[in-house]
């Protein structure tokens, strides 16, 4: 279905809007099911009102949209085409005017709207030039006025006026606010909060298609200039002028360490200070919700900015699945079903992505496809040395015991074999190494394996207990026992083809799965847990007797109760480090906030992570990275008070809750921890550092806001050079 949307530009057609033209002409919008109408700016139009009234779906605005936001406009900034504004003052070259301070007493042609030229006004003020110190002229938008000395300084764009003066051979000077410390985003794509809430997917795909268009435009400037000249040339510009504009704007579109289009609230806050300096923004402004958050659950998952950006760019992932391993996984009537499918649905919602799967005849074919990169990830796989050569594995998200289906008469010495096992199964590789004398008979289906056991050609069929249980019930076979002589577990992980960033992101999501979410999936697909050595022939006899059925239900209740007790322990502890996990931390955080609020006590929070941890994983491998996380947890734990709460928030991020401590004491504690980490010795024999964000609880503050402020301080510490403590 094609969705029609509109994009309102802030000026006439030119290279300034090239990315949007390219996205339309190259079919990037069409690929996402969007039909986009691009509109030039009419003579008079309030861009914010146009979006809020739904006359325009999206619009391009100046940085001054943050003023509208501060005044209550329900708008959302999606991305910025330019990290630095092209707005500047241009003068003819002379000894009289070399820099901003030389404009004292001079004529300056500039628009009257202070909010649209705030960076220029701030530059003048910083140079000691107030509004009374220069002659302000109405802007004619005619460069001839500068050429004919009707003005001394002309407000223009780096991408336009210099080209015209160069063509005429007129020397010029540029006075740019950037050189005076006043950086502003420019050409900000925005829409309404209401549209984002009602159309989160459409918003995301429009932003990403536009981003693709811009990156293509800047990678192919001459081609793009010709396309604009032919199709969007309402100003009758030459190809040379458009090429010049494109090259000049490319310099403003990218900044070191920042991906194209990136915007941040911190940068907007800095820009807001410029507007305050020039008197167009009051002190008590609020722009906290200005910046687009494409992933609804990203704050809860603890994703980094780079990880969020990755998910913005990669919203669809192709799965390799096991087509016949129910109740764990299967393809039934063309749909992905089972425990694994339940977890994939949950991860899809948490990450805001879509998982699709291909059609495979059997598990071996699916796995082989994954190992040669034929899909992005394997939905449910167990890590083995052989598979790890081509695939990366997440933390396990589900575990079930390995079981063997045997005939009652063959229940002794099962591991002596021969054993039937699904071809390509993880335990085929594991058992070959563990029981080298045991003969393994690879089979394509469970039915084939159980037939071999019935015929006496194999002593047992190896699989997960639930799978064997389902197969026996479906086929109504009798005389089988399920035993567990191998004493191992089938650990379900996601296997990813050569994409470590995706592994890290998936681990964030896996770590965030709550006990209730685990239970909901398992109870749907595994409503009955069968223990080892369960006689199925006896089961069918039991089902006919009321008394024995009650005994069975009592036994089942005991198994589930034991399982739930174990699940509760797992739900509150991080499996890797043994400290509290995110689920436990959130619960304790809410409890401590209630105590602090009720009794007016101090409560502080430290949020920290390991600096450049991805480089550690890339250089030494994830096993070493896991050891470092364990070692760090021990080092930190040994240096905390008994009253403190310490846990792993996700990935390499940790949180410490400090009851009864004010901000100054908490900051001193964080500095101590920073020094302890810097001087500690870790298994990879390389120095390790952490960055810390520290905040104190504010009355009536919600837990999510409390943590978000600490996270913000952590990012500030990162920006300050890492290995430091920032507080607020």
């Amino acid at each position: 279905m094609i969705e029609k949307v509109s994009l309102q530009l802030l000026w006439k057609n030119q290279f300034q809007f090239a990315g949007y033209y390219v996205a339309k002409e190259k079919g990037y919008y069409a690929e996402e099911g969007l039909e986009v109408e691009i509109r030039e700016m009419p003579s008079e139009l309030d861009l914010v009102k146009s979006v809020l009234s739904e006359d325009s779906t999206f619009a391009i605005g100046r940085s001054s949209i943050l003023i509208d936001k501060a005044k209550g406009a329900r708008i959302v900034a999606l991305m910025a085409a330019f990290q630095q504004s092209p707005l500047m003052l241009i003068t003819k070259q002379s000894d009289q005017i070399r820099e901003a301070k030389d404009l004292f007493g001079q004529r300056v042609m500039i628009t009257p709207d202070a909010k649209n030229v705030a960076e220029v006004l701030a530059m003048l003020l910083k140079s000691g030039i107030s509004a009374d110190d220069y002659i302000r002229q109405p802007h004619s938008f005619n460069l001839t006025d500068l050429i004919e000395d009707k003005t001394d300084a002309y407000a223009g764009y780096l991408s336009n006026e210099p080209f015209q003066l160069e063509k005429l051979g007129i020397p010029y000077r540029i006075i740019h606010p950037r050189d005076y410390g006043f950086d502003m985003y420019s050409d900000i794509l925005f829409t309404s909060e209401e549209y984002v809430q009602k159309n989160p997917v459409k918003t995301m795909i429009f932003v990403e298609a536009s981003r693709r268009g811009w990156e293509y435009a800047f990678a192919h400037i001459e081609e793009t200039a010709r396309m604009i000249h032919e199709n969007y040339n309402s100003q009758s510009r030459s190809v040379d002028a458009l090429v010049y504009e494109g090259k000049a704007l490319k310099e403003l579109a990218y900044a070191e360490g920042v991906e194209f289009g990136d915007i941040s609230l911190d940068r907007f806050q800095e820009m807001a200070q410029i507007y305050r300096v020039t008197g167009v923004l009051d002190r008590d402004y609020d722009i906290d919700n200005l910046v687009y958050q494409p992933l609804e659950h990203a704050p809860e998952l603890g994703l980094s900015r780079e990880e969020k950006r990755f998910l913005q760019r990669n919203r669809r992932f192709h799965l390799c699945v096991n087509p016949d391993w129910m109740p764990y996984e299967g393809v039934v009537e063309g749909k992905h079903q089972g425990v694994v499918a339940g977890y994939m649905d949950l991860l899809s919602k948490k990450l805001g992505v879509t998982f699709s799967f291909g059609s495979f005849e059997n598990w071996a074919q699916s796995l082989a496809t994954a190992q040669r990169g034929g899909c992005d990830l394997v939905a449910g796989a167990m890590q083995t040395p052989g598979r790890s050569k081509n695939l990366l594995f997440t933390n396990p998200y589900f575990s079930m015991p390995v079981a063997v289906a045997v005939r009652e008469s063959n229940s002794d010495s099962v591991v002596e074999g021969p054993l039937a096992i699904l071809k390509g199964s993880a335990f085929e590789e594991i058992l070959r190494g563990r029981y080298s004398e045991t003969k393994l008979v690879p089979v394509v289906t469970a039915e084939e394996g159980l037939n071999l056991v019935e015929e006496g050609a194999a002593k047992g069929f190896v699989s997960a207990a639930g799978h064997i249980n389902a197969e026996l019930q479906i086929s109504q076979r009798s005389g089988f026992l399920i035993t567990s002589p191998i004493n191992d577990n089938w650990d379900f992980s996601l296997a990813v083809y050569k994409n470590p960033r995706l592994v890290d992101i998936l681990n964030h999501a896996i770590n965030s799965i709550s006990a209730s979410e685990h239970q909901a999936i398992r109870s749907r697909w595994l409503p009955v847990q069968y223990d080892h050595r369960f006689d199925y022939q006896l089961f069918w006899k039991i089902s006919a007797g009321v008394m024995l059925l009650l005994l069975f239900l009592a036994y089942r209740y005991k198994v589930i109760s034991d399982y739930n007790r174990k699940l509760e322990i797992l739900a509150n502890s991080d499996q890797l480090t043994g400290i509290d996990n995110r689920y436990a931390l959130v619960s304790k955080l809410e409890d401590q906030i209630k105590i602090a609020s009720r009794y007016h006590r101090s409560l502080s929070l430290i949020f920290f992570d390991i600096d450049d941890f991805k480089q550690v994983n890339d250089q030494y491998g994830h096993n070493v990275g896991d050891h470092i996380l364990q070692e760090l947890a021990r080092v930190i734990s040994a240096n905390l008070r008994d009253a403190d709460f310490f846990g792993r928030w996700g990935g390499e991020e940790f949180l410490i809750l400090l009851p009864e401590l004010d901000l100054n004491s908490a900051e001193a504690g964080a500095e101590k921890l920073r020094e302890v980490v810097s001087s500690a010795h870790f298994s990879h024999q390389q120095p390790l550092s952490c960055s810390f964000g520290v905040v104190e609880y504010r009355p009536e503050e919600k837990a999510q806001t409390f943590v978000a402020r600490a996270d913000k301080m952590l990012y500030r510490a990162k920006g300050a050079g890492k290995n430091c403590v920032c507080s607020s």
Side-chain angles (χ1 to χ4, degrees), residues 319 321 329 336 338-350 353 355 377-380 397 494 506 521:
L319 301 179
V321 303
E329 185 177 27
H336 190 205
V339 172
V340 173
Y343 277 101
M344 297 311 297
D345 288 342
L346 179 61
L347 294 177
S348 173
K349 294 175 182 176
K350 285 179 176 289
V353 300
F355 295 114
L377 59 154
V378 183
Y397 59 83
L494 293 166
L506 291 168
I521 294 172

Side-chain angles (χ1 to χ4, degrees), residues 220-418:
H220 306 84
I221 289 177
E222 292 188 7
E223 175 191 338
T224 302
R226 288 192 294 271
M227 181 266 290
I228 296 173
H229 185 264
E230 294 173 5
N231 302 322
Y232 298 90
N233 199 16
S234 56
Q235 299 194 76
S236 301
R237 297 204 170 182
S238 67
V239 172
D240 287 345
L242 292 167
V243 169
Y244 182 96
E245 183 184 5
K247 290 179 178 179
L249 291 175
K250 183 176 181 179
E251 295 297 318
L252 301 172
Y254 295 95
E256 185 176 356
V258 178
E259 294 191 40
F260 177 84
D262 186 41
I263 52 177
S264 72
L265 184 59
D266 285 345
R267 179 86 178 276
F268 272 114
Q269 295 284 10
E270 293 172 3
M271 291 159 53
Q273 294 304 312
I274 299 174
Y275 287 112
R276 281 194 57 203
V277 168
T278 56
V280 294
L281 188 62
D282 295 331
R283 178 181 294 274
D284 57 344
Y285 65 88
D286 181 6
I287 58 171
D288 284 348
N289 297 318
L290 175 60
V291 175
Y292 174 49
Q293 295 290 339
L295 302 175
E296 181 182 353
H297 299 284
E300 291 84 355
L301 297 181
L303 299 181
S304 68
R305 181 175 297 173
E306 292 73 20
E307 288 168 338
K308 294 176 188 177
R309 182 71 68 214
F310 175 87
L311 288 181
Q312 286 179 322
R313 294 170 174 268
N314 301 273
R315 302 184 311 280
R316 295 184 177 89
F317 298 95
H318 188 65
L319 301 179
C320 282
V321 303
N322 191 331
D324 186 23
W325 204 39
M326 293 295 286
Y328 301 109
E329 185 177 27
V331 178
V332 181
E333 296 181 352
K335 295 183 178 180
H336 190 205
Q337 301 283 346
V339 172
V340 173
Y343 277 101
M344 297 311 297
D345 288 342
L346 179 61
L347 294 177
S348 173
K349 294 175 182 176
K350 285 179 176 289
L351 295 171
V353 300
T354 300
F355 295 114
S356 60
F357 67 93
S359 177
F360 301 97
E361 292 183 7
N362 52 61
W363 171 239
Q365 183 189 79
S366 179
L367 184 61
T369 301
Q371 289 177 320
R372 63 174 180 267
C375 52
D376 298 307
L377 59 154
V378 183
M382 184 173 179
Q383 185 171 8
T384 66
R387 293 176 178 179
S388 297
K389 293 177 181 177
N390 295 317
L391 298 171
L392 304 173
F393 288 81
T394 67
N395 299 333
Y397 59 83
F398 179 68
S399 183
M400 281 294 290
V402 177
V404 183
V406 300
R407 300 294 289 175
E408 186 174 3
S409 58
N410 287 338
S411 60
D412 298 327
S413 303
V414 171
V415 295
E416 294 179 1

Side-chain angles (χ1 to χ4, degrees), residues 102-228:
D102 297 330
L103 291 170
F104 187 91
Q106 303 296 320
R107 299 167 298 172
V108 179
M109 188 169 282
I110 193 170
T111 59
D113 189 350
K115 71 178 185 179
N116 289 332
V117 292
E119 62 263 50
V120 172
L121 299 181
M123 172 183 68
L124 294 174
L125 286 172
K126 184 175 182 179
S127 303
I129 309 293
S130 68
D132 297 328
D133 295 330
Y134 65 94
I135 302 168
R136 186 167 189 160
Q137 297 176 306
H139 210 304
S140 66
F141 300 99
N142 186 347
L143 191 58
T144 304
D145 288 336
L146 177 66
I147 297 171
E148 296 179 352
D149 295 323
K150 294 179 181 179
T151 189
D152 300 305
Y154 181 100
Y157 269 23
L158 283 170
S159 51
N160 292 331
E161 283 75 14
F163 174 80
Q164 297 177 48
L165 293 178
E166 287 176 16
K167 282 292 185 181
L168 296 171
I170 300 175
Y172 60 87
R173 281 199 177 97
I174 289 172
I175 303 175
H176 198 290
R178 170 189 58 194
D179 301 326
Y180 293 79
F182 299 106
D183 256 352
M184 304 283 267
Y185 289 135
S186 185
D187 288 44
I188 300 167
L189 177 67
F190 72 98
T191 188
S192 66
E193 289 182 11
E194 184 178 7
Y195 186 82
V196 173
Q197 292 167 0
K198 290 182 177 179
N199 305 279
V201 175
K202 291 173 187 173
T203 303
M204 182 182 291
I205 62 179
F206 182 84
V207 171
E208 291 311 307
S210 300
R211 196 188 305 272
R212 284 180 64 193
W214 272 112
E215 292 180 339
Y216 186 94
F218 283 134
H220 306 84
I221 289 177
E222 292 188 7
E223 175 191 338
T224 302
R226 288 192 294 271
M227 181 266 290
I228 296 173

Side-chain angles (χ1 to χ4, degrees), residues 480-520:
F480 275 88
L481 298 176
I482 297 180
T483 67
S484 55
I486 296 174
N487 193 28
D488 208 334
N489 286 328
W490 214 292
D491 296 324
F492 292 76
S493 295
L494 293 166
V496 178
Y497 183 75
K498 297 181 179 180
N499 194 330
R501 173 163 288 178
L502 180 56
V503 173
D504 292 340
I505 291 171
L506 291 168
N507 277 334
H508 279 297
I510 290 169
N511 293 340
S512 75
I513 299 175
S514 67
S516 60
E517 289 171 330
H518 280 294
Q519 187 63 34

